[in-house]
Amino acid sequence: MKVVQFWLSHRAELTGLIGQHVLLVAVSTLVAIAAGVPLGIFAARRPRLSAPLVGIANLVQTVPSLAMFGFLLPVPLLGGVGARTAIVVLILYGLLPIIRTTIAGLQGIDRSIREAGTAMGMTRGELLRQVELPLAMPSIVAGIRVAAVVGVGSATIAAAIGAGGLGEYIYRGLSMVDTTVILAGAIPAAVLALIFDGGLLWLERGLASRRRTGTRRLAAAAVAALMALVIVGSATVFSGRRAAIVVGSKNFTEQLILGEIVAGTIERETGLTVDRRLNLGGTLICERALASGDIDVYVEYTGTALTAVFHQPLTNDSSAVLQTVRDAYARTGRALLEPLGFNNTFTILVRGSDARRLKVKTIDDAAVETPRWRAGFGYEFLERPDGFPGLSKIYGLRFAEPPRVMDLTLTYRALASGQVDLIAGDATAGLISALDLFPLVDNRHYFPPYDAVPVARAATLMRHPEVRRALTSLAGTISAEDMRAMNNAADAGKEDPAAIARQFLERRLGR
Amino acid sequence: MSLPVPAIQFEDVSYTQPSGARIFDSLTLSVDTGEVMALVGRSGAGKTTLLRLVNRLALPQSGRVLVDGRDTREWDPIRLRRSIGYVIQDVGLFPHMTVADNIGVVPRLENWDPSRIQARTRELLELVGLSWDTHAGRWPNELSGGQRQRVGVARALAADPAVLLMDEPFGALDPVTRAELQREFRTIQSRLRKTVIIVTHDMLEALSLAHRVAVLDDGVVIAFDVPERIAQATDPRVRKLLDAVTLKLRPEQP
């Protein structure tokens, strides 16, 4: 059982992630209860309002969670990278089942019982507390159970914005194309869902238990303990003493390794405490996190910064691009440091077998074949002006059907298994050699340079000049071969990005 | 020097339901303190609505309902309802409370001391013929119909209200249990001397329990008198209700 081995070797990390996951779900579910039950009570009393309210809650539920995270990222107070945004999203998802079952529970109460309470001189509040809520409780708890179980699932996606939790393993596994790591996150998440569901059922039975006051007291104590845990936990999440430096990264193998290398270098050379917010869901999220100060540094690629961040036209001159990007960052309070040494440009990949059979070497060669081919691209590549739109124009590429959108990390497998015939990948991807893929030559020099360079907040560098020195010491130390080897160690060799980074740093220091 | 005021008075009361159905038109009626007044009429005659006007679950469109000499409009509805015991047609016991907790509802609302509530509950359970030990901890769904009805009466009496409203209290019971409860009601009433309005469609029950009987037909009181004289009424509508009773008393034909 590889998964068990993985858990055993990652015991401390696993415990931490489970703790984060439980906290995310517990905090958001409690807030959803605190908001949803009153909303449900309100709506149940005004039937004309309940339909629109449930409608809105329904609508929220249909927004894909990743899109919701995207909406919320730039919102002040609620948004940003980290647990806060995740909790807000999870609260929104939890509201619907709770509102709905609260309404159903209250409306299901026999009229004569309500009338009895009123006739005995109960005020509306007394009627609600002593009669309506206790009778609606089984229904409300059913809604809370649904909210909690949905929450456990949605919380795995929260890892995309650096909220932690078991989604870390799932995303890490996805970006490394490693089923073991995916399962290492997915299995405990499923178990957590069952525990939440069963625990809440037990709590409800305990609280409603008629004769055995012992159980009842125990259940009440459990509720109190949970509340205490959540208060303490959320206090640490929200006030959370921030480490001196927070390192971010995007959500693919190379970025995880680079994030670990940057973090490790700062730790080793400055002694400052470093938080890792790795595996953030893409360029946009990293950029916003850096702009808002949620992270202090991450590794960006010059071409990506030029087009995706600063929306400027492409050029093929790497030093000109570097200078333009450096100036643009400087104007917005960020500092672009020295290039790490390799250029991770896009590369167009086909299966090695196809390349040999059809004698295709360049993208021009391939353009002859593409009308019979299907293409699969990551979302970013499909949308970015320096991605597919420009490429198809310059090479006149046409495909049998519109290119499919797929997760960047899945495109290599999709190509190797024949689901698509052409993809855009990273020049440093370890899977290229592992899966016998063939990188086509960009004979028209379409792709601009993508030199990997750490970018940091200027304020942070001012506060800690030693961080600038540490990061500059990395200049030119990682060649394209180094990077491909490290990527391959992670993707094919299933090694831990942190371990790969550690080996790299030790080799470097030893040299 | 003030004259004794009737406990409950209806003065020229008209009431139209929100749906537009007219229930009462210029109804005038009074119930004296300590009196048991039975309100008889066919289903849909507006008997329950009349009770709802007393504890201000409904307000008349015109005319006044006076409780203890005061217009129900001027009463704080919560205070008014807590000083009136209400035995509901389908009992309306709270299914999530034990028998003892059901009986103690109004005392708890009134913030009585827990030991006083317990003493009162025990006293009332015994008054309605149920033992504390076997019944206090039971749940409503574990009781027979007759037991539930007894608990309903005990609950209505809990805070010792001066007025008791009873809506078809023995309606859903089998004839034997019904007769038993009617007998016990008379015993209890002879001790407590509450002002009682009891609503029933059963003329026999009305004649045997009440000091005075009001017959309601189509929103109008067509007879209001002591049982002896109601029994001899000549009004055909009253006779019809009486005939139903005599028919019932006649042995069944093979």
Side-chain angles (χ1 to χ4, degrees):
Chain A
M1 285 299 283
K2 281 198 227 148
V3 180
V4 176
Q5 280 165 14
F6 182 90
W7 284 331
L8 289 177
S9 59
H10 292 73
R11 246 167 310 176
E13 190 187 35
L14 179 68
T15 319
L17 291 180
I18 291 175
Q20 285 172 345
H21 209 96
V22 169
L23 202 62
L24 282 175
V25 176
V27 170
S28 58
T29 306
L30 279 181
V31 178
I33 294 169
V37 172
L39 276 173
I41 293 168
F42 183 78
R45 287 184 171 173
R46 293 162 190 77
R48 232 175 287 164
L49 269 175
S50 65
L53 189 69
V54 171
I56 292 169
N58 258 331
L59 197 71
V60 170
Q61 200 95 7
T62 61
V63 177
S65 33
L66 212 50
M68 188 101 91
F69 289 129
F71 289 144
L72 278 175
L73 270 178
V75 177
L77 289 177
L78 297 182
V81 165
R84 211 173 356 142
T85 315
I87 287 172
V88 172
V89 171
L90 294 179
I91 290 168
L92 290 175
Y93 280 131
L95 279 176
L96 172 71
I98 294 176
I99 291 176
R100 198 180 247 175
T101 55
T102 304
I103 294 175
L106 290 174
Q107 288 180 344
I109 296 170
D110 199 333
R111 258 201 66 186
S112 70
I113 288 176
R114 205 174 267 133
E115 174 112 350
T118 312
M120 293 172 82
M122 288 185 178
T123 62
R124 283 184 81 167
E126 286 162 347
L127 187 68
L128 183 71
R129 283 190 303 277
Q130 300 182 19
V131 179
E132 294 177 304
L133 279 184
L135 289 175
M137 199 47 78
S139 172
I140 296 175
V141 171
I144 293 171
R145 284 167 58 202
V146 171
V149 170
V150 168
V152 171
S154 305
T156 58
I157 296 163
I161 52 158
L166 291 162
E168 289 265 330
Y169 283 159
I170 296 176
Y171 275 84
R172 195 184 298 169
L174 276 173
S175 55
M176 294 165 64
V177 201
D178 186 340
T179 331
T180 307
V181 183
I182 298 177
L183 285 177
I187 293 172
V191 172
L192 266 188
L194 291 175
I195 291 175
F196 266 99
D197 195 41
L200 284 165
L201 184 66
W202 176 81
L203 263 187
E204 187 223 331
R205 295 222 173 120
L207 285 174
S209 92
R210 302 180 143 191
R211 271 173 212 90
R212 288 174 304 162
T213 44
T215 321
R216 196 173 172 142
R217 243 173 246 151
L218 198 63
V223 171
L226 184 71
M227 298 283 273
L229 171 93
V230 163
I231 290 165
V232 171
S234 44
T236 51
V237 165
F238 287 101
S239 72
R241 259 187 299 124
R242 189 179 180 277
I245 305 292
V246 182
V247 176
S249 89
K250 304 186 204 181
N251 54 350
F252 50 93
T253 308
E254 177 172 306
Q255 280 276 320
L256 299 183
I257 297 170
L258 291 176
E260 290 287 355
I261 289 178
V262 166
T265 305
I266 296 172
E267 279 169 344
R268 281 159 196 251
E269 306 209 355
T270 67
L272 293 168
T273 56
V274 176
D275 252 0
R276 290 160 173 79
R277 286 281 174 81
L278 307 184
N279 231 335
L280 301 175
T283 302
L284 192 66
I285 291 178
C286 285
E287 158 62 17
R288 284 181 178 164
L290 187 70
S292 65
D294 286 327
I295 61 176
D296 294 299
V297 55
Y298 79 101
V299 176
E300 188 50 280
Y301 305 94
T302 51
T304 309
L306 187 72
T307 54
V309 179
F310 297 114
H311 309 290
Q312 292 194 20
L314 308 160
T315 73
N316 299 337
D317 179 347
S318 72
S319 59
V321 170
L322 185 70
Q323 197 52 51
T324 313
V325 171
R326 181 166 284 152
D327 291 347
Y329 271 128
R331 278 195 297 276
T332 52
R334 276 84 59 92
L336 192 70
L337 294 133
E338 293 307 313
L340 297 176
F342 69 93
N343 175 9
N344 181 2
T345 185
F346 275 112
T347 185
I348 299 300
L349 297 165
V350 297
R351 277 181 296 277
S353 54
D354 283 352
R356 287 187 293 274
R357 187 164 52 83
L358 300 165
K359 298 195 167 41
V360 172
K361 289 204 165 52
T362 66
I363 304 179
D364 264 336
D365 295 344
V368 182
E369 312 287 343
T370 52
R372 288 180 288 113
W373 283 357
R374 290 155 302 165
F377 298 124
Y379 178 75
E380 232 181 300
F381 184 79
L382 206 57
E383 289 300 311
R384 277 160 52 161
D386 64 336
F388 181 67
L391 180 78
S392 65
K393 208 177 292 167
I394 288 192
Y395 284 101
L397 292 181
R398 266 183 204 83
F399 292 97
E401 54 188 65
R404 287 196 216 166
V405 189
M406 34 177 77
D407 195 289
L408 184 66
T409 57
L410 299 178
T411 53
Y412 300 94
R413 299 269 171 199
L415 176 62
S417 67
Q419 291 171 46
V420 293
D421 306 298
L422 182 146
I423 64 166
D426 299 311
T428 53
L431 283 172
I432 293 176
S433 43
L435 295 175
D436 183 28
L437 306 180
F438 184 82
L440 296 173
V441 177
D442 177 18
N443 55 311
R444 298 194 184 192
H445 303 285
Y446 167 68
F447 291 118
Y450 290 91
D451 293 305
V453 191
V455 54
R457 288 172 66 78
T460 308
L461 297 182
M462 215 112 93
R463 208 165 48 241
H464 298 291
E466 66 273 31
V467 171
R468 179 189 286 274
R469 277 195 299 279
L471 292 174
T472 309
S473 78
L474 282 172
T477 57
I478 308 175
S479 69
E481 288 93 310
D482 289 341
M483 197 64 244
R484 209 174 291 139
M486 288 194 282
N487 285 338
N488 198 43
D491 290 337
K494 311 289 182 206
E495 286 178 49
D496 195 11
I500 295 170
R502 204 171 322 117
Q503 286 161 22
F504 171 84
L505 292 173
E506 274 156 16
R507 240 187 356 255
R508 224 192 104 226
L509 291 176
R511 225 184 279 159
Chain B
M1 74 150 272
S2 65
L3 291 163
V5 201
I8 300 164
Q9 289 167 278
F10 285 76
E11 290 185 358
D12 210 15
V13 170
S14 296
Y15 179 79
T16 306
Q17 275 188 333
S19 64
R22 168 151 282 206
I23 308 285
F24 304 121
D25 205 356
S26 308
L27 180 120
T28 298
L29 204 65
S30 72
V31 187
D32 292 331
T33 306
E35 179 186 31
V36 177
M37 197 273 277
L39 197 61
V40 191
R42 282 183 298 183
S43 306
K47 306 184 297 278
T48 300
T49 307
L50 192 133
L51 294 187
R52 291 166 56 88
L53 286 167
V54 175
N55 67 0
R56 214 189 136 163
L57 287 172
L59 282 170
Q61 275 83 19
S62 69
R64 305 195 298 169
V65 178
L66 304 172
V67 175
D68 215 7
R70 231 168 109 197
D71 191 335
T72 52
R73 280 191 191 79
E74 290 158 20
W75 275 91
D76 164 20
I78 301 302
R79 283 254 57 75
L80 177 68
R81 289 171 197 156
R82 287 188 193 172
S83 58
I84 295 175
Y86 195 13
V87 184
I88 296 155
Q89 194 163 9
D90 28 20
V91 191
L93 291 183
F94 299 125
H96 61 296
M97 294 183 190
T98 60
V99 165
D101 287 344
N102 260 292
I103 296 174
V105 167
V106 178
R108 274 201 309 279
L109 291 174
E110 296 280 278
N111 293 318
W112 287 18
D113 191 68
S115 58
R116 188 177 160 210
I117 295 176
Q118 205 202 329
R120 178 65 178 160
T121 310
R122 182 186 283 264
E123 181 189 341
L124 285 165
L125 264 180
E126 271 147 29
L127 181 75
V128 298
L130 298 173
S131 82
W132 167 270
D133 294 332
T134 47
H135 295 100
R138 292 251 188 117
W139 300 91
N141 62 9
E142 297 169 343
L143 301 178
S144 70
Q147 289 171 327
R148 271 206 284 274
Q149 204 52 264
R150 289 164 197 261
V151 175
V153 171
R155 182 173 72 170
L157 290 170
D160 202 14
V163 176
L164 198 59
L165 306 177
M166 305 175 87
D167 191 355
E168 301 273 10
F170 314 122
L173 304 176
D174 65 85
V176 178
T177 315
R178 184 174 188 156
E180 192 180 307
L181 279 182
Q182 287 170 349
R183 205 163 44 244
E184 282 176 33
F185 170 77
R186 272 196 298 271
T187 319
I188 293 170
Q189 174 59 13
S190 68
R191 275 171 57 191
L192 302 180
R193 304 226 168 269
K194 303 286 181 193
T195 303
V196 181
I197 301 182
I198 179 165
V199 156
T200 175
H201 61 269
D202 178 353
M203 186 56 106
L204 183 64
E205 183 168 276
L207 295 177
S208 69
L209 293 183
H211 298 114
R212 281 195 292 174
V213 177
V215 182
L216 204 60
D217 186 89
D218 209 9
V220 178
V221 176
I222 53 169
F224 184 28
D225 216 327
V226 294
E228 296 74 26
R229 262 185 293 216
I230 290 286
Q232 269 129 50
T234 50
D235 187 309
R237 290 165 299 178
V238 181
R239 287 257 44 111
K240 217 180 211 170
L241 289 163
L242 286 164
D243 288 347
V245 173
T246 37
L247 268 178
K248 234 199 246 170
L249 290 175
R250 203 177 293 156
E252 297 212 10
Q253 306 287 325

Coordinates of all heavy atoms in Angstrom, one line a residue, chain A residues 110-124 126-127 130-132 134-135 208-211, chain B residues 52 55 57 78 81-82 84 86 88 90-97 102 105-106 108-109 139 141-142 155:
Chain A
D110 N -47.5 20.9 12.7 CA -48.9 20.9 12.7 C -49.5 22.3 13.2 O -49.0 22.8 14.2 CB -49.3 19.8 13.7 CG -50.8 19.4 13.5 OD1 -51.5 20.2 13.0 OD2 -51.1 18.2 13.8
R111 N -50.4 22.8 12.5 CA -51.0 24.1 12.9 C -51.5 24.1 14.3 O -51.4 25.1 15.0 CB -52.1 24.4 11.9 CG -51.7 25.4 10.8 CD -53.0 26.1 10.3 NE -53.6 26.9 11.3 CZ -54.8 27.5 11.1 NH1 -55.4 27.3 10.0 NH2 -55.4 28.2 12.0
S112 N -52.2 23.0 14.7 CA -52.8 23.0 16.0 C -51.8 23.1 17.1 O -52.1 23.7 18.2 CB -53.7 21.7 16.2 OG -52.8 20.6 16.3
I113 N -50.6 22.6 16.9 CA -49.6 22.7 17.9 C -49.1 24.2 18.0 O -49.0 24.7 19.2 CB -48.4 21.8 17.5 CG1 -48.8 20.4 17.7 CG2 -47.2 22.1 18.4 CD1 -47.8 19.3 17.4
R114 N -49.0 24.8 16.9 CA -48.6 26.2 16.9 C -49.7 27.1 17.6 O -49.4 27.9 18.4 CB -48.3 26.7 15.5 CG -47.4 27.9 15.4 CD -47.1 28.2 14.0 NE -45.9 27.5 13.5 CZ -45.9 26.9 12.3 NH1 -46.9 26.8 11.5 NH2 -44.8 26.3 11.9
E115 N -50.9 26.8 17.2 CA -52.0 27.5 17.8 C -52.1 27.2 19.3 O -52.4 28.2 20.1 CB -53.3 27.0 17.1 CG -54.6 27.5 17.7 CD -55.3 28.5 16.8 OE1 -54.7 28.8 15.7 OE2 -56.4 28.8 17.1
A116 N -51.8 26.0 19.7 CA -51.8 25.7 21.2 C -50.9 26.6 21.9 O -51.2 27.2 22.9 CB -51.5 24.3 21.4
G117 N -49.7 26.8 21.3 CA -48.7 27.6 22.0 C -49.1 29.1 22.1 O -49.0 29.7 23.1
T118 N -49.6 29.6 21.0 CA -50.1 31.0 21.0 C -51.3 31.1 22.0 O -51.3 32.1 22.7 CB -50.6 31.4 19.6 OG1 -49.7 31.0 18.6 CG2 -50.9 32.8 19.5
A119 N -52.2 30.2 22.0 CA -53.3 30.3 22.9 C -52.9 30.3 24.3 O -53.6 30.8 25.2 CB -54.3 29.2 22.6
M120 N -51.8 29.6 24.6 CA -51.3 29.6 26.0 C -50.6 30.8 26.4 O -50.1 30.9 27.5 CB -50.4 28.3 26.2 CG -51.2 27.0 26.0 SD -50.2 25.6 26.0 CE -49.9 25.4 27.8
G121 N -50.4 31.7 25.5 CA -49.8 33.0 25.8 C -48.3 33.0 25.6 O -47.6 33.7 26.3
M122 N -47.9 32.2 24.6 CA -46.4 32.3 24.3 C -46.2 33.5 23.3 O -47.0 33.8 22.4 CB -46.0 31.1 23.5 CG -45.9 29.9 24.4 SD -45.2 28.5 23.5 CE -45.1 27.2 24.8
T123 N -45.2 34.3 23.6 CA -44.8 35.3 22.6 C -44.2 34.6 21.4 O -44.0 33.4 21.4 CB -43.8 36.3 23.2 OG1 -42.6 35.5 23.4 CG2 -44.2 36.9 24.5
R124 N -44.0 35.3 20.3 CA -43.5 34.7 19.1 C -42.1 34.1 19.4 O -41.9 33.0 18.9 CB -43.4 35.7 18.0 CG -44.7 36.1 17.4 CD -44.5 37.0 16.2 NE -44.1 36.3 15.0 CZ -44.2 36.8 13.8 NH1 -44.5 38.1 13.6 NH2 -43.8 36.2 12.7
E126 N -41.0 33.0 22.3 CA -41.1 31.8 23.1 C -41.7 30.6 22.3 O -41.2 29.5 22.5 CB -42.1 32.1 24.3 CG -41.5 33.0 25.4 CD -42.5 33.6 26.3 OE1 -43.7 33.6 26.0 OE2 -42.1 34.2 27.3
L127 N -42.6 30.9 21.4 CA -43.1 29.8 20.6 C -42.0 29.3 19.7 O -41.9 28.0 19.6 CB -44.2 30.4 19.7 CG -45.0 29.4 18.8 CD1 -45.9 28.6 19.7 CD2 -45.9 30.2 17.8
Q130 N -39.4 27.4 22.2 CA -39.8 26.3 23.0 C -40.6 25.2 22.2 O -40.7 24.1 22.6 CB -40.7 26.7 24.2 CG -40.0 27.7 25.1 CD -40.8 28.1 26.3 OE1 -41.8 27.5 26.6 NE2 -40.4 29.2 26.9
V131 N -41.2 25.6 21.1 CA -42.0 24.7 20.3 C -41.5 24.5 18.9 O -41.1 23.4 18.5 CB -43.5 25.2 20.3 CG1 -44.3 24.2 19.4 CG2 -44.0 25.3 21.7
E132 N -41.4 25.6 18.1 CA -41.1 25.4 16.7 C -39.7 24.9 16.4 O -39.5 23.9 15.7 CB -41.3 26.8 16.0 CG -42.7 27.2 16.0 CD -42.9 28.5 15.3 OE1 -42.3 29.5 15.7 OE2 -43.7 28.6 14.4
P134 N -37.5 23.2 18.5 CA -37.3 21.8 18.8 C -38.0 20.9 17.9 O -37.4 19.8 17.6 CB -37.9 21.7 20.2 CG -37.9 23.1 20.8 CD -38.1 24.0 19.6
L135 N -39.1 21.2 17.4 CA -39.8 20.3 16.5 C -39.2 20.3 15.1 O -39.3 19.3 14.4 CB -41.3 20.7 16.4 CG -42.1 20.4 17.7 CD1 -43.6 20.9 17.5 CD2 -42.1 18.9 17.9
A208 N -31.7 15.2 21.3 CA -33.1 15.0 21.3 C -33.5 13.8 22.2 O -34.6 13.5 22.4 CB -33.6 14.7 19.9
S209 N -32.4 13.2 22.7 CA -32.7 11.9 23.5 C -33.6 12.2 24.6 O -33.5 13.2 25.3 CB -31.4 11.3 24.0 OG -31.1 11.8 25.3
R210 N -34.6 11.3 24.7 CA -35.7 11.6 25.6 C -35.4 11.2 27.0 O -35.7 12.0 27.9 CB -36.9 10.9 25.0 CG -37.1 11.4 23.6 CD -38.3 10.8 23.0 NE -39.0 11.7 22.1 CZ -40.2 11.5 21.7 NH1 -40.9 10.4 21.9 NH2 -40.8 12.4 20.9
R211 N -35.0 10.0 27.2 CA -34.9 9.6 28.6 C -33.5 9.7 29.2 O -33.3 10.2 30.3 CB -35.3 8.1 28.7 CG -36.8 8.0 28.9 CD -37.3 6.6 28.9 NE -38.7 6.6 28.4 CZ -38.9 6.5 27.1 NH1 -38.0 6.3 26.2 NH2 -40.2 6.5 26.7
Chain B
R52 N -62.0 31.9 20.2 CA -60.8 32.7 19.8 C -61.0 34.2 20.0 O -60.0 34.9 20.2 CB -60.5 32.4 18.3 CG -60.1 31.0 18.0 CD -60.1 30.6 16.5 NE -59.3 31.6 15.8 CZ -58.0 31.4 15.5 NH1 -57.4 30.4 16.0 NH2 -57.4 32.3 14.8
N55 N -59.9 34.9 23.8 CA -58.5 35.1 24.2 C -57.7 35.8 23.2 O -56.5 35.7 23.1 CB -57.9 33.7 24.6 CG -57.8 32.8 23.4 OD1 -58.2 33.1 22.3 ND2 -57.2 31.6 23.6
L57 N -57.3 35.6 20.0 CA -56.7 35.0 18.9 C -57.3 35.6 17.6 O -56.8 35.5 16.5 CB -56.8 33.5 18.8 CG -55.9 32.7 19.8 CD1 -56.3 31.2 19.8 CD2 -54.5 32.9 19.5
I78 N -50.7 38.7 25.5 CA -50.0 37.7 26.2 C -50.5 37.5 27.6 O -50.8 36.4 28.0 CB -48.5 38.0 26.2 CG1 -47.9 38.2 24.8 CG2 -47.7 37.0 27.0 CD1 -48.0 37.0 23.9
R81 N -54.0 35.8 27.5 CA -54.0 34.4 27.2 C -53.5 33.6 28.3 O -53.9 32.4 28.5 CB -53.2 34.1 25.9 CG -53.9 34.6 24.7 CD -53.0 34.6 23.4 NE -53.5 35.4 22.4 CZ -52.8 36.0 21.4 NH1 -51.5 35.7 21.4 NH2 -53.3 36.7 20.5
R82 N -52.5 34.1 29.0 CA -52.0 33.3 30.2 C -52.9 33.3 31.3 O -52.8 32.4 32.2 CB -50.6 33.9 30.6 CG -49.5 33.7 29.6 CD -48.2 34.0 30.1 NE -47.2 34.0 29.0 CZ -46.0 34.5 29.1 NH1 -45.5 35.0 30.2 NH2 -45.2 34.4 28.0
I84 N -56.1 32.8 30.8 CA -57.2 32.0 30.3 C -56.7 30.6 30.0 O -55.8 30.5 29.2 CB -57.9 32.6 29.1 CG1 -58.5 34.0 29.4 CG2 -58.9 31.7 28.5 CD1 -59.1 34.7 28.2
Y86 N -57.0 27.1 28.1 CA -57.6 26.8 26.8 C -57.4 25.3 26.5 O -56.3 24.8 26.4 CB -56.9 27.6 25.7 CG -57.6 27.6 24.3 CD1 -59.0 27.2 24.2 CD2 -57.0 28.1 23.2 CE1 -59.6 27.3 23.0 CE2 -57.7 28.2 22.0 CZ -59.0 27.8 21.9 OH -59.6 27.8 20.7
I88 N -57.8 22.6 23.8 CA -58.0 22.6 22.4 C -58.6 21.4 21.8 O -58.4 20.3 22.3 CB -56.6 22.9 21.7 CG1 -56.1 24.3 22.2 CG2 -56.7 22.9 20.2 CD1 -54.7 24.4 22.2
D90 N -58.2 19.4 19.2 CA -57.4 18.2 19.0 C -56.2 18.1 20.0 O -55.1 17.8 19.6 CB -56.9 18.0 17.6 CG -56.8 19.3 16.8 OD1 -56.6 20.3 17.6 OD2 -56.8 19.4 15.6
V91 N -56.5 18.6 21.2 CA -55.6 18.5 22.4 C -54.3 19.4 22.2 O -54.0 20.2 23.0 CB -55.1 17.1 22.7 CG1 -54.4 17.1 24.0 CG2 -56.3 16.2 22.7
G92 N -53.6 19.3 21.1 CA -52.4 20.2 20.9 C -51.3 20.0 21.9 O -50.6 21.0 22.2
L93 N -51.2 18.8 22.5 CA -50.0 18.6 23.4 C -48.8 18.7 22.6 O -48.7 18.3 21.4 CB -50.1 17.3 24.1 CG -51.2 17.1 25.1 CD1 -51.1 15.7 25.7 CD2 -51.2 18.1 26.1
F94 N -47.7 19.3 23.2 CA -46.4 19.4 22.5 C -45.7 18.0 22.4 O -45.4 17.5 23.5 CB -45.5 20.4 23.1 CG -46.2 21.8 23.1 CD1 -46.3 22.5 24.3 CD2 -46.6 22.4 22.0 CE1 -46.9 23.8 24.3 CE2 -47.2 23.6 22.0 CZ -47.4 24.3 23.1
P95 N -45.5 17.5 21.2 CA -45.0 16.1 21.1 C -43.6 16.0 21.6 O -43.1 14.9 21.9 CB -45.1 15.8 19.6 CG -45.1 17.1 18.9 CD -45.8 18.1 19.9
H96 N -42.8 17.1 21.8 CA -41.4 17.0 22.2 C -41.3 17.2 23.7 O -40.2 17.3 24.2 CB -40.6 18.0 21.4 CG -41.0 19.4 21.6 ND1 -42.2 19.9 21.3 CD2 -40.4 20.4 22.2 CE1 -42.3 21.2 21.6 NE2 -41.2 21.5 22.2
M97 N -42.4 17.3 24.4 CA -42.3 17.5 25.8 C -43.0 16.4 26.6 O -44.0 15.8 26.1 CB -43.0 18.8 26.2 CG -42.4 20.1 25.7 SD -43.3 21.5 26.4 CE -42.6 22.8 25.4
N102 N -45.4 19.4 29.5 CA -46.6 20.0 28.9 C -47.4 20.7 29.9 O -47.9 21.8 29.6 CB -47.4 18.9 28.2 CG -47.1 18.8 26.7 OD1 -47.5 19.7 26.0 ND2 -46.5 17.7 26.3
V105 N -46.1 24.2 31.1 CA -45.7 25.3 30.1 C -46.0 26.7 30.6 O -45.1 27.5 30.6 CB -46.4 25.0 28.7 CG1 -46.3 26.3 27.8 CG2 -45.8 23.8 28.0
V106 N -47.2 27.0 31.0 CA -47.5 28.3 31.4 C -46.8 28.7 32.6 O -46.2 29.8 32.7 CB -49.0 28.6 31.5 CG1 -49.3 30.0 31.9 CG2 -49.7 28.3 30.1
R108 N -43.9 27.8 33.5 CA -42.6 28.1 33.1 C -42.5 29.5 32.4 O -41.6 30.2 32.6 CB -42.0 27.0 32.2 CG -41.4 25.9 32.9 CD -40.4 25.1 32.1 NE -41.0 24.7 30.8 CZ -41.8 23.7 30.6 NH1 -42.1 22.9 31.7 NH2 -42.3 23.4 29.4
L109 N -43.5 29.7 31.6 CA -43.5 31.0 30.9 C -43.6 32.2 31.9 O -43.0 33.2 31.8 CB -44.7 31.1 30.0 CG -44.7 30.2 28.7 CD1 -46.0 30.4 28.0 CD2 -43.5 30.6 27.8
W139 N -44.5 10.4 27.2 CA -44.6 11.3 26.0 C -46.0 11.2 25.5 O -46.6 10.2 25.6 CB -43.6 10.9 25.0 CG -42.2 10.9 25.5 CD1 -41.5 9.9 26.0 CD2 -41.4 12.1 25.5 NE1 -40.3 10.4 26.5 CE2 -40.2 11.7 26.1 CE3 -41.5 13.4 25.1 CZ2 -39.1 12.6 26.4 CZ3 -40.5 14.3 25.3 CH2 -39.3 13.9 25.9
N141 N -47.3 10.7 22.7 CA -47.7 9.7 21.8 C -47.8 8.3 22.5 O -48.1 7.3 21.9 CB -46.7 9.6 20.6 CG -45.3 9.3 21.0 OD1 -45.0 9.0 22.2 ND2 -44.4 9.4 20.1
E142 N -47.4 8.3 23.8 CA -47.6 7.0 24.6 C -48.9 7.0 25.4 O -49.1 6.0 26.1 CB -46.4 6.9 25.6 CG -45.0 6.8 24.9 CD -43.9 6.9 25.9 OE1 -44.1 7.4 27.0 OE2 -42.7 6.6 25.5
R155 N -53.1 20.9 31.7 CA -52.3 22.0 31.2 C -53.0 23.3 31.2 O -52.5 24.3 31.6 CB -51.8 21.6 29.8 CG -50.9 22.6 29.2 CD -50.3 22.2 27.9 NE -51.4 22.2 26.8 CZ -51.1 22.1 25.5 NH1 -49.8 21.9 25.2 NH2 -52.0 22.1 24.7

